Amino acid sequence: MNDVLKVLIVDDEAMARARLRDLLGDIADEYPTRVVGMVANGAEALRMIEQEPVDLVLADIRMPVMDGVEFARKLAERPCPPGVIFTTAYDEYAVTAFDVEAVDYLVKPVRAGRLAAALARFRRSRTPETGGEGAGGEGRTHFSVTERGRILLVPVDEVRYLKAEMKYVTAFTSERDYVLDESLVQLEEEFGERFLRIHRNCLVARSAIVGVEREGEADGEPHWAVLLAGVAERLPISRRQWPTVKATLKL
C-alpha cells in the first residue's frame, strides 16, 4: 500500500462529505490521503470503485438506494476489498458494522483525533507484522487535538500519562494537558509498548517512570503510587494492577 491512501467518501449529505474531506486535509501531514471521489450512496460508490480502485472508504450507514451496511457486504465479496470506516449519526449500528468487518465506527460529529486514530488502525491492519513497534514506520507520532478552532499536534513522546475522566481522555505533558476524543482502551491497544496501565482509568508513559512510592498509611488506605519525571502528582496504582506494574518494573 502506498504512503498516500486513496479514499472514497460516501454520504448522502453534501455537508457531511465536505466535512470529512476537510478533516482529512487537517490531518494530512501525519496521515496523507487523496480523496478520489465523493458520492451519495453505496450503489454510486460501487460503480466508482470499478473505475478507480481505492484503499479506504468512509461511508455513512443510513443512505437511500443502498445503505452503508449493504455496500460493505457487497464490497467484501470482491478480491482484496478496500477497508471501510463507518461515519454515522447513529450509534445503534455498531455491532452490525463490526459484523461486516469494518475498520472502525465513528459517530458524528467526527473529530479529527478520532479520525486519525481510525486511519492509524487501518494502516496497522494493512501492514505486515515485522516483529517490533515502529518497524513498519506506520505508528502515530502525534495526537491530533481539536482546540478552539485549531488542530494541535501533540508529540506522543511528550505525554507523561493518559487519564480517563467522564467520557474523555486527558493527555498530560510536563507543561499542560489536552483533551483527546479517543477511548483509553483504544489508546492502550495502540500504544501498549509505550504506556503502562496502572489503574482502570490511567496509563503512564513507561519512559517517564522514575520510581514508586508507598502512600496512604496515615488514613488507613495504603497503596503504591507511581512517580513520573516532570509530574508533581503521585498517581495511584490500583491493587489489581500492582502485580503487573511490579513485574514490569522488576521491583
Side-chain angles (χ1 to χ4, degrees), residues 17-231:
R17 296 194 296 268
R19 174 172 169 76
L20 287 172
R21 180 197 59 206
D22 292 346
L23 285 176
L24 289 171
D26 290 339
I27 60 177
D29 286 346
E30 191 174 2
Y31 297 99
T33 54
R34 178 168 67 88
V35 176
V36 300
M38 299 195 298
V39 297
N41 59 66
E44 291 182 27
L46 289 174
R47 287 195 292 270
M48 177 163 281
I49 290 171
E50 288 283 0
Q51 302 168 9
E52 174 81 42
V54 301
D55 300 308
L56 180 65
V57 182
L58 303 182
D60 192 10
I61 288 186
R62 287 192 182 180
M63 296 182 291
V65 185
M66 181 185 293
D67 67 22
V69 173
E70 184 182 357
F71 163 71
R73 287 182 176 137
K74 289 186 177 297
L75 206 58
E77 297 171 358
R78 297 168 176 259
C80 301
V84 175
I85 294 174
F86 283 120
T87 59
T88 178
Y90 308 95
D91 58 10
E92 65 262 33
Y93 296 103
V95 173
T96 303
F98 290 108
D99 281 345
V100 295
E101 299 183 352
V103 175
D104 211 335
Y105 185 93
L106 311 184
V107 177
K108 297 175 182 176
V110 177
R111 306 297 184 189
R114 190 67 183 82
L115 180 58
L119 293 182
R121 175 176 293 179
F122 173 68
R123 284 192 175 277
R124 289 196 307 274
S125 74
R126 296 297 174 99
T127 302
E129 294 293 333
T130 50
E133 181 194 3
E138 298 291 352
R140 270 200 286 175
T141 59
H142 294 74
F143 293 119
S144 297
V145 179
T146 303
E147 186 178 273
R148 294 189 294 274
R150 302 176 299 166
I151 293 180
L152 307 178
L153 295 178
V154 181
V156 175
D157 289 342
E158 292 183 7
V159 175
R160 298 293 190 264
Y161 66 101
L162 298 158
K163 191 171 185 180
E165 298 171 302
M166 303 297 288
K167 60 180 181 178
Y168 297 102
V169 171
T170 304
F172 293 83
T173 70
S174 57
E175 296 181 355
R176 56 161 293 189
D177 57 89
Y178 302 87
V179 176
L180 307 181
D181 192 19
E182 305 183 51
S183 75
L184 202 65
V185 171
Q186 271 185 330
L187 292 169
E188 183 178 27
E189 178 184 324
E190 183 175 353
F191 296 104
E193 295 298 317
R194 294 191 184 197
F195 290 89
L196 173 66
R197 182 176 287 276
I198 63 166
H199 197 279
R200 62 180 175 78
N201 70 345
C202 188
L203 305 175
V204 299
R206 295 170 185 261
S207 61
I209 299 173
V210 295
V212 295
E213 183 176 83
R214 189 73 170 169
E215 289 189 335
E217 301 286 357
D219 58 18
E221 295 185 9
H223 63 269
W224 288 96
V226 70
L227 311 178
L228 300 177
V231 178

